[in-house]
């Protein structure tokens, strides 16, 4: 049976959103690596780079939300902002700082392999905060992902313990941030899309980064008299970072968060291939074997989440049908009682 024009258009748009997100995510990662790596652009100041991103994204988010009003702002009191958004902003600052720092010490391919630990961190922290229920089969899957990443790390040709520590800290802080978003915002009925999230969180993140920047990077930058701010490099890099948030906004809004997770797996494999073929990073067979094990665990995790969402949706529809059936039955009984009373009269 031929597909309708509307269905074909929807499918093509979904593929377009996925392709744009993969391209921009790929570009931001490689661009950050290029800027921070000592063998490339040689500007190893991850806090400064992150602050440039936050300042740029805050300004554009303010323009979209407050000036152009293309995106609706979320009603939020000062007390809610301080108790909910500020902790999330602090964790976001730490996550970005450490993840960008890791690019100085590790290859792009190995960083993607380490990022496979994200479901493990999110689930473990979710269980610790009693947001997720402990399940032995899920935990066993988390162990398989961890074993796969450990094998990949064992096979890494240019292993750097400090770089690995930074990336693992970034994963831990990002996972904590994701869990706290559910606890501090979603549980209170507040949902932030990527643009409103930047509007509220990016300025807070910028302020938090000022503290380590003054202590760690500002003294070194003052001594680097030869440096001149390259508006083309940092402007296009920041624009790519903001465009990525717009792509996330479109991708999740038009498809689902699970689609983005699946697309993320494709992006990771593309980055590993690019890192090996273009940047000439060493990718060993043990690397790939370990990542394949981790990849299998992540794929199973995404499949289990999809099945859980389908089951929850089916249960919700069943409850709605039961409520509607009960209401119709009550209406029918009411009509029957009315007719009986009329007959008696």
């Amino acid at each position: 049976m031929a597909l309708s024009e509307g269905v074909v258009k929807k499918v093509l748009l979904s593929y377009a959103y996925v392709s744009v997100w993969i391209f921009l995510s790929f570009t931001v990662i490689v661009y950050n690596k290029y800027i921070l790596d000592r063998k490339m652009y040689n500007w190893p100041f991850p806090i400064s780079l992150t602050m440039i991103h936050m300042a740029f994204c805050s300004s554009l988010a303010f323009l979209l939300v407050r000036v152009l009003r293309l995106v609706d702002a979320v009603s939020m009191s000062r007390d809610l902002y301080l108790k909910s958004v500020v902790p999330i902003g602090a964790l976001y600052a730490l996550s970005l700082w450490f993840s960008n720092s890791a690019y100085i010490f590790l290859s792009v391919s190995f960083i993607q392999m380490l990022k496979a630990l994200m479901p493990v961190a999110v689930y473990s922290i979710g269980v610790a905060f009693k947001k997720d229920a402990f399940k032995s089969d899920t935990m066993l899957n988390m162990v398989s992902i961890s074993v796969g990443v450990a094998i990949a790390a064992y096979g890494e040709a240019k292993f750097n313990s400090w770089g690995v520590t930074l990336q693992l800290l970034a994963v831990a802080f990002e996972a904590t941030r994701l869990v706290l978003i559910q606890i501090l915002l979603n549980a209170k009925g507040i949902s932030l899309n990527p643009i409103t999230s930047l509007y509220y969180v990016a300025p807070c993140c910028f302020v938090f980064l000022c503290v380590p920047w003054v202590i760690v990077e500002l003294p070194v930058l003052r001594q680097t008299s030869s440096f001149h701010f390259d508006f083309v490099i940092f402007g296009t890099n920041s624009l790519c970072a903001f465009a990525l948030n717009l792509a996330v906004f479109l991708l999740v809004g038009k498809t689902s968060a699970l689609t983005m997770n699946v697309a993320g797996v494709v992006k990771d494999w593309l980055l590993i291939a690019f890192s090996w073929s273009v940047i000439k990073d060493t990718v060993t067979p043990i690397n790939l074997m370990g990542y394949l094990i981790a990849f299998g665990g992540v794929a199973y995790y995404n499949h289990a989440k999809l099945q859980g969402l389908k089951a929850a949706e089916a249960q919700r529809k069943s409850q709605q049908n039961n409520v509607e059936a009960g209401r119709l039955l009550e209406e029918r009984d009411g009509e029957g009682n009315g007719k009986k009373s009329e007959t008696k009269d």
Side-chain angles (χ1 to χ4, degrees):
M1 188 175 77
L3 293 174
S4 67
E5 186 179 342
V7 172
V8 172
K9 185 178 179 181
K10 188 176 180 180
V11 170
L12 289 175
L13 278 174
S14 296
Y15 277 113
Y17 293 136
V18 168
S19 301
V20 169
W21 178 82
I22 289 175
F23 172 76
L24 287 170
S25 182
F26 183 99
T27 302
V28 169
I29 289 171
V30 173
Y31 211 157
N32 286 352
K33 172 68 175 176
Y34 168 75
I35 291 172
L36 295 167
D37 198 296
R38 297 181 190 277
K39 296 177 182 178
M40 298 183 190
Y41 189 75
N42 190 26
W43 200 69
F45 300 102
I47 306 175
S48 301
L49 182 64
T50 308
M51 289 177 70
I52 292 170
H53 288 174
M54 291 299 102
F56 186 88
C57 291
S58 296
S59 303
L60 285 186
F62 180 84
L63 184 68
L64 290 174
V65 175
R66 289 297 180 189
V67 180
L68 301 177
R69 300 187 182 279
L70 295 175
V71 181
D72 294 329
V74 176
S75 178
M76 189 178 299
S77 66
R78 181 181 177 183
D79 183 62
L80 180 63
Y81 183 85
L82 292 174
K83 290 182 179 178
S84 299
V85 176
V86 169
I88 290 168
L91 289 167
Y92 193 40
L94 290 167
S95 171
L96 291 173
W97 172 16
F98 291 137
S99 63
N100 281 334
S101 298
Y103 286 109
I104 301 172
F105 305 98
L106 301 175
S107 67
V108 170
S109 57
F110 186 43
I111 286 174
Q112 303 317 303
M113 294 176 189
L114 291 174
K115 283 182 180 179
L117 286 170
M118 184 60 73
V120 180
V122 171
Y123 178 72
S124 302
I125 294 168
V127 170
F129 280 92
K130 296 182 179 179
K131 190 65 185 173
D132 287 320
F134 178 85
K135 296 179 181 177
S136 56
D137 57 337
T138 305
M139 185 53 71
L140 186 63
N141 185 38
M142 298 298 111
V143 170
S144 72
I145 295 173
S146 303
V147 169
V149 173
I151 293 171
Y154 177 77
E156 176 60 21
K158 297 178 181 178
F159 185 90
N160 183 290
S161 57
W162 178 237
V164 171
T165 302
L166 288 169
Q167 185 56 49
L168 292 180
L169 284 171
V171 168
F173 284 123
E174 178 64 10
T176 307
R177 183 183 76 91
L178 294 173
V179 173
L180 284 187
I181 285 174
Q182 296 178 28
I183 296 171
L184 298 178
L185 293 177
N186 294 351
K188 298 175 183 177
I190 297 173
S191 179
L192 298 178
N193 62 51
I195 305 303
T196 51
S197 180
L198 283 176
Y199 174 75
Y200 288 107
V201 177
C204 177
C205 182
F206 180 89
V207 172
F208 275 112
L209 287 169
C210 286
V211 178
W213 180 74
V214 169
I215 299 169
V216 179
E217 293 188 0
L218 181 58
V220 182
L221 283 168
R222 281 178 173 172
Q223 295 173 4
T224 313
S225 57
S226 60
F227 174 73
H228 298 286
F229 191 84
D230 192 330
F231 284 96
V232 174
I233 291 290
F234 294 104
T236 52
N237 179 246
S238 299
L239 188 61
C240 286
F242 184 78
L244 176 59
N245 282 277
L246 281 177
V248 172
F249 177 61
L250 288 171
L251 181 61
V252 176
K254 301 297 182 181
T255 56
S256 68
L258 195 62
T259 301
M260 193 174 77
N261 288 343
V262 175
V265 173
V266 177
K267 177 208 69 179
D268 290 342
W269 279 109
L270 288 173
L271 279 167
I272 290 170
F274 181 86
S275 177
W276 171 72
S277 61
V278 178
I279 304 178
K280 301 301 180 183
D281 289 328
T282 303
V283 179
T284 67
I286 298 177
N287 268 149
L288 290 176
M289 183 180 71
Y291 186 63
L292 277 171
I293 295 171
F295 166 73
V298 172
Y300 178 79
Y301 173 76
N302 287 332
H303 173 73
K305 280 185 69 176
L306 178 61
Q307 296 303 115
L309 289 171
K310 285 182 177 179
E313 182 66 18
Q315 185 178 7
R316 186 181 65 82
K317 287 183 178 179
S318 177
Q319 288 174 348
Q320 284 181 346
N321 291 336
N322 290 337
V323 170
E324 289 177 5
R327 190 175 68 249
L328 289 171
L329 189 60
E330 287 176 1
E331 290 175 358
R332 192 176 299 168
D333 289 343
E335 289 175 1
N337 291 334
K339 289 179 179 178
K340 286 181 181 178
S341 62
E342 287 177 5
T343 304
K344 286 181 181 179
D345 292 341

